[in-house]
Amino acid sequence: MKPRSIKNWLRGGLLVLAMLQTVVSVWQYVFPRSFYDDFPTVNLDPPYNEHLVSDVGGLGLALTGMLYFAACVLDSKVVMSALVGYLIYAATHFAFHVRHFDHFSLSEAFGVGTGLGIEVALALVLLYVGWRLHRAESLSGG
């Protein structure tokens, strides 16, 4: 695969992660009560806490900014940094949920587990592509 097509694929993947994170994070930060009440399965968690939900939304917005910036500049070090941060968030979020499906129906557990698992898988694939781009840039001197 040519470096240009790798960069296009990487940019597309970063933008997908950023757009997904944007929707959830803006909802959490701007409308925390609605997020708790209306986002599927969130109300199955402990009681509503506006501070916690809006803080998580703010942190998600920080990740969103990093992903959009990485997609714009496509510098391999920036891309790797944004993806490592996102992967840590996505993997720990996934790990929490797969250990706490006690009050979930089978379809709710499947939906949450699959959705969060796809985010982790996409982040891993993009991290691999970013690493390949970094190596190619290092070998070519640019």
Side-chain angles (χ1 to χ4, degrees), residues 59-78:
L59 292 170
L61 289 171
L63 282 173
T64 297
M66 291 172 51
L67 292 167
Y68 279 122
F69 182 72
C72 288
V73 299
L74 277 184
D75 175 85
S76 62
K77 291 177 184 173
V78 173

Side-chain angles (χ1 to χ4, degrees), residues 50-108:
E50 180 179 1
H51 179 206
L52 179 62
V53 175
S54 63
D55 279 359
V56 169
L59 292 170
L61 289 171
L63 282 173
T64 297
M66 291 172 51
L67 292 167
Y68 279 122
F69 182 72
C72 288
V73 299
L74 277 184
D75 175 85
S76 62
K77 291 177 184 173
V78 173
V79 167
M80 297 293 290
S81 177
L83 286 170
V84 165
Y86 182 83
L87 181 59
I88 291 168
Y89 162 75
T92 57
H93 189 200
F94 175 75
F96 175 86
H97 279 286
V98 297
R99 292 189 327 266
H100 296 89
F101 283 146
D102 303 348
H103 304 332
F104 286 47
S105 69
L106 180 59
S107 64
E108 289 168 335

Side-chain angles (χ1 to χ4, degrees), residues 5-19 67 70-72 74 122 126:
S5 62
I6 291 172
K7 284 187 173 189
N8 288 338
W9 196 91
L10 189 57
R11 177 175 282 131
L14 286 163
L15 289 172
V16 166
L17 287 179
M19 287 185 283
L67 292 167
C72 288
L74 277 184
L122 180 56
L126 292 172

